[in-house]
Amino acid sequence: MASGAGGANVAATCIQPENALSTVAILLSAFVLSVTALLVFIWSQRSSMFDKSAKAAEVIFAPGEIGTREDPAAGTALGLGNAELVDRARADASTAPLVFFFFCCAFAWLLVASAAGLTASIRLHEPDWLAHQPWLTFGRIRTIHLNAVAYGWAPMAGLGIALFVIPRLLKTPLVGAPFAFLGAALWNAALIAGLGAIAVGLSDGLEWLEIPWQIDILFVIGGALVGVPLVLTLVHRRVEHLYVSVWYMGCALFWFPVLFLVANVPGLHRGVQQAAMNWWFGHNVLGLFYTPLALASVYYFLPKIIGRPVQSYNLSLLGFWGLAFFYGQVGGHHLIGGPVPGWLISLSIVQSMMMIIPVLAFTVNQHQTLKGHLDALRTSPTLRFIGFGGLMYTASSIQGSFEALRIVNAVAHFTHFTVAHAHLGLYGFVTMVFFGAIYFIVPRVSGREWPSPGLIAAHFWFAAIGITIYFVSLTIGGWLQGEAMLDGSRPFMDSVTLTAPYLKWRSVGGALMAVGHVIFVVHFVMLLVGRSAGRVQPALLRNF
Amino acid sequence: MHSETRLLAGGMTMLSIATGALVVIPYLTVRDATPLEGLKPYTSAELRGRQVYIANGCVYCHSQQPRARSFAPDTERGWGRASVAGDYAYDTPHLLGTMRTGPDLFNIGARQPSEQWHLGHLYQPRAYAPDSIMPSYPYLFEAKDKVDPGDVEVMLPSGFAPPGKVIVASHEALDLVAYMKALDHGYPVLQAQPQPAAAASR
């Protein structure tokens, strides 16, 4: 790290040795102190949880329900004699129209984002295609893709899932749904305006924060309105224990507004400081918004479907507080080698590596829970998507930790390698988990089964093979690109020409993913128009 | 975990620690970095050009942050010395970038000072670099039958203009090129004044 710190910026080389030493000492002691404090904090959270039969983990089951698999099957296994199950049915009914609305929006943005992403990908190897249309130039259509995912698909699907799951976990019908309806309408109006602004070239100019701040005001109001029923329901809850999923979803819903507000205040940020803020936001919107929403879904649906409480409550605590503490500080690794203070970069690299702790805690916990129930991965559509997503969470997080190391970052930074990593996280993990959750929830809120197990399997394989091709090709291409750029004896143009075949493969992978999404949406429309009439059994997968 | 207050207080504390480190301390230390001697404020044409740069998303393929020699051969490629906070005193929003699908542009003005080259390259990058994957920007230009007074004609390599037409640059293209020509951070980082006194006293 010492050589890297010298390389980080010119100013760092001017620091006197004693100063450098004291900086390291301060950083080190601050780090040790904060990790100790974190462990004490986690310990305090597990008070009264010393007994092995962690009651909090069983809160998602009605009495006697452990051992019963719940899968998308409207009406099955609902013995109305059980008061808890009646409560759950009431909670589901209270959220149905709202969740349905969120999912419809999510589907629309998924298609928009797929089309924009595919166009951007093709434009990188066919640069003169559609060149006369300003809004289709790479710099704009790529940005439309990112924003349609970041503010369209991901939050609409994630918040829809949260609105469904939270009343179930709190055993309380949703309070104040009209607020969320209004909020979602405002949010979507804002996104339409925002994408339009980007298309005509109005942009705030910061990655992840392109939408003009005037429009951001609508997002803030819309988002706050969506949060109202979740807070009201929390206040009216009828359970004592807050389940793991509630920790993740609850905190995500408070973290995101802070991130979004601080990042978008006009005139507050400037120059290099703005760059540091930019990546504090850019990484935290992934780590403290989409990731917790998706992890909450895994923590709820995986145990629910296999009918077995999550293995270790203590590991859940470690995973949650570890993520909350470490993830927030990793953003600076996007600026390694850049003109920002050296200590900030070092801090972010250290915390990126520390992220391995919560990731392993999550992985071991889910693996232990799933042990002996692997057959459910074959039959349950939800579990198959969520299982894939969970694995990709581990893979992308571990990859991300190592990518922050200077030696890896020197090659991977500024290349398509990073783009591949981003898609492993936001698609392989978050999006796949959301797909799985939607397969579970839609039959519950619509009262209809999915019409065709074959279409679910097709969606899964198109998405899984698509992201695999996407990730593998861009990872290899990006790494070779980085090595070419680091070799001063090779002309820069080498790093461009060598990526050409990999960029084409990326378009192939992207096209497969898009086909999967079209199948998904068509299947949803079939369900709406009543093609599942007569199906009373859950749409479980048989072969594939 | 029993109490939602404890949960949210804990969660928000974690976020404040992160915000303190990544937002507040940089705000206090580097936000108002003094412009280095030799760094000129942008002219109004250059600022308009900067907006064109933002509007068309140049930042998604071009960084503006050369790295130190110990890190990468950026200087050897002619991209300039490693940049420091004082280089960005007039850069709001920042355009540091995270991709190098194309080369770093922090010193493009010094590397390529020709307005005609920039205009022609924006109209059709492949007229100058056959393997380039940069988009062409025909919508920043106009194909006309003849050049009118006040027009800036783009002199393209033969075969790249539509037959029988002349290519004329729009105001946006001219502003953008003005901005790129202003990207020249060749002045030294370490300012000279305090050094001689210190050396003399020693």
Side-chain angles (χ1 to χ4, degrees):
Chain A
M1 210 179 283
S3 69
N9 63 37
V10 173
T13 58
C14 311
I15 294 175
Q16 298 296 313
E18 312 89 70
N19 283 348
L21 196 68
S22 69
T23 312
V24 169
I26 291 168
L27 264 180
L28 201 66
S29 47
F31 177 71
V32 171
L33 261 176
S34 54
V35 170
T36 315
L38 178 69
L39 290 176
V40 171
F41 182 74
I42 295 175
W43 184 261
S44 76
Q45 293 291 313
R46 66 192 286 288
S47 60
S48 86
M49 294 309 305
F50 289 104
D51 47 335
K52 263 198 90 187
S53 67
K55 286 225 166 36
E58 292 169 12
V59 87
I60 63 172
F61 299 102
E65 199 192 14
I66 291 175
T68 319
R69 285 184 179 179
E70 182 178 351
D71 222 317
T76 41
L78 270 190
L80 286 181
N82 190 327
E84 287 232 359
L85 290 177
V86 174
D87 271 354
R88 189 188 296 160
R90 207 173 282 150
D92 284 1
S94 72
T95 58
L98 188 61
V99 172
F100 189 76
F101 179 63
F102 271 80
F103 283 176
C104 288
C105 300
F107 286 129
W109 292 121
L110 179 66
L111 293 183
V112 170
S114 307
L118 191 54
T119 310
S121 175
I122 294 172
R123 289 226 48 184
L124 267 194
H125 50 85
E126 303 295 333
D128 288 319
W129 183 54
L130 305 173
H132 283 269
Q133 293 295 334
W135 69 281
L136 289 172
T137 195
F138 177 80
R140 296 193 194 173
I141 196 71
R142 168 224 172 272
T143 309
I144 290 174
H145 163 68
L146 183 139
N147 281 276
V149 173
Y151 301 108
W153 156 250
M156 282 299 117
L159 292 173
I161 294 165
L163 283 166
F164 175 82
V165 169
I166 286 183
R168 268 191 166 209
L169 292 174
L170 302 178
K171 303 188 178 175
T172 312
L174 191 74
V175 185
F179 289 107
F181 263 115
L182 182 62
L186 281 179
W187 181 284
N188 283 288
L191 185 54
I192 292 167
L195 296 187
I198 293 167
V200 299
L202 297 171
S203 159
D204 279 354
L206 301 185
E207 247 176 284
W208 289 92
L209 295 164
E210 288 93 352
I211 295 180
W213 64 266
Q214 294 87 343
I215 298 173
D216 291 334
I217 297 170
L218 269 183
F219 278 110
V220 172
I221 300 171
L225 286 172
V226 172
V228 168
L230 294 167
V231 174
L232 287 180
T233 311
L234 198 62
V235 173
H236 286 90
R237 74 194 154 99
R238 292 213 290 262
V239 288
E240 190 193 359
H241 285 293
L242 294 178
Y243 184 64
V244 197
S245 299
V246 180
W247 315 342
Y248 280 106
M249 286 173 167
C251 278
L253 292 166
F254 279 82
W255 284 329
F256 181 72
V258 175
L259 297 172
F260 194 78
L261 266 176
V262 171
N264 279 300
V265 174
L268 186 62
H269 311 288
R270 202 190 301 160
V272 165
Q273 176 268 333
Q274 193 179 33
M277 181 286 293
N278 196 171
W279 289 109
W280 162 84
F281 177 85
H283 215 95
N284 281 348
V285 75
L286 300 168
L288 298 181
F289 188 51
Y290 311 133
T291 298
L293 288 179
L295 289 180
S297 306
V298 177
Y299 267 108
Y300 179 72
F301 291 109
L302 191 140
K304 195 83 195 70
I305 288 170
I306 61 175
R308 175 183 181 185
V310 75
Q311 181 74 19
S312 163
Y313 184 77
N314 289 335
L315 277 180
S316 311
L317 271 176
L318 180 65
F320 175 75
W321 288 111
L323 178 122
F325 182 71
F326 297 124
Y327 218 140
Q329 305 171 35
V330 305
H333 68 219
H334 285 264
L335 294 164
I336 296 175
V340 290
W343 63 263
L344 190 150
I345 305 256
S346 300
L347 173 77
S348 284
I349 294 175
V350 171
Q351 306 300 44
S352 298
M353 288 311 284
M354 294 304 284
M355 269 304 292
I356 291 176
I357 295 173
V359 169
L360 284 186
F362 168 85
T363 309
V364 170
N365 208 2
Q366 298 301 336
H367 182 257
Q368 296 283 331
T369 309
L370 199 55
K371 218 160 77 181
H373 292 74
L374 284 171
D375 59 311
L377 279 175
R378 268 203 313 272
T379 53
S380 163
T382 299
L383 203 56
R384 187 186 288 190
F385 278 96
I386 284 185
F388 184 93
L391 277 179
M392 292 308 117
Y393 172 63
T394 309
S396 67
S397 300
I398 302 283
Q399 185 198 19
S401 293
F402 282 95
E403 218 174 319
L405 294 178
R406 284 174 207 271
I407 189 166
V408 181
N409 193 274
V411 181
H413 196 25
F414 297 127
T415 72
H416 297 297
F417 188 92
T418 313
V419 182
H421 168 67
H423 283 78
L424 187 65
L426 200 43
Y427 192 90
F429 160 47
V430 172
T431 296
M432 290 299 260
V433 168
F434 286 174
F435 284 153
I438 290 173
Y439 276 118
F440 184 98
I441 295 171
V442 166
R444 292 269 175 242
V445 300
S446 68
R448 296 175 184 185
E449 286 302 329
W450 289 97
S452 161
L455 287 180
I456 300 178
H459 172 206
F460 177 80
W461 287 113
F462 272 107
I465 294 173
I467 185 65
T468 306
I469 293 175
Y470 186 112
F471 176 75
V472 171
S473 60
L474 268 200
T475 299
I476 298 172
W479 191 263
L480 296 176
Q481 180 195 11
E483 288 196 321
M485 273 199 278
L486 277 191
D487 183 349
S489 65
R490 295 171 74 176
F492 177 80
M493 207 55 209
D494 272 14
S495 76
V496 177
T497 46
L498 74 82
T499 55
Y502 302 100
L503 293 176
K504 286 176 187 157
W505 275 110
R506 187 252 295 263
S507 292
V508 172
L512 292 179
M513 286 145 74
V515 170
H517 303 158
V518 171
I519 293 173
F520 183 38
V521 176
V522 166
H523 196 189
F524 179 66
V525 173
M526 282 167 63
L527 179 143
L528 294 189
V529 299
R531 295 302 285 276
S532 45
R535 178 182 275 284
V536 286
Q537 290 299 310
L540 296 179
L541 304 173
R542 275 178 298 270
N543 299 316
F544 316 103
Chain B
M1 202 182 301
H2 291 269
S3 151
E4 59 269 42
T5 335
R6 210 156 48 149
L7 169 76
L8 292 176
M12 296 322 274
T13 307
M14 302 295 176
L15 181 58
S16 350
I17 295 172
T19 312
L22 267 64
V23 180
V24 178
I25 300 181
Y27 185 93
L28 298 174
T29 55
V30 292
R31 178 179 184 261
D32 301 303
T34 328
L36 292 177
E37 204 175 298
L39 177 68
K40 289 194 291 285
Y42 296 110
T43 66
S44 53
E46 288 159 9
L47 277 178
R48 286 196 305 272
R50 201 166 188 270
Q51 283 305 317
V52 179
Y53 188 96
I54 292 168
N56 291 289
C58 306
V59 70
Y60 303 112
C61 291
H62 296 284
S63 59
Q64 291 192 17
Q65 44 165 326
R67 293 180 286 182
R69 250 176 226 281
S70 57
F71 213 98
D74 293 3
T75 313
E76 287 172 51
R77 294 197 187 279
W79 293 349
R81 59 163 172 79
S83 59
V84 297
D87 286 322
Y88 300 91
Y90 302 117
D91 282 17
T92 304
H94 83 90
L95 295 171
L96 263 61
T98 46
M99 284 292 281
R100 283 181 179 168
T101 311
D104 189 276
L105 295 183
F106 205 49
N107 288 289
I108 185 65
R111 200 154 78 235
Q112 186 47 273
S114 156
E115 180 182 62
Q116 273 296 327
W117 184 89
H118 277 296
L119 289 172
H121 185 257
L122 285 171
Y123 179 77
Q124 180 46 279
R126 278 152 295 286
Y128 304 83
D131 292 327
S132 169
I133 58 170
M134 176 168 145
S136 47
Y137 294 92
Y139 58 85
L140 294 177
F141 299 86
E142 196 184 345
K144 298 169 93 173
D145 293 327
K146 63 176 183 57
V147 181
D148 291 315
D151 281 349
V152 176
E153 187 188 352
V154 185
M155 302 299 178
L156 289 159
S158 62
F160 284 95
K165 299 269 187 184
V166 290
I167 298 299
V168 170
S170 67
H171 286 294
E172 285 176 307
L174 292 169
D175 288 341
L176 177 56
V177 171
Y179 169 62
M180 285 198 281
K181 284 171 66 183
L183 288 176
D184 179 355
H185 300 84
Y187 49 83
V189 174
L190 296 172
Q191 311 291 321
Q193 322 102 321
Q195 259 73 354
S201 68
R202 226 170 258 166

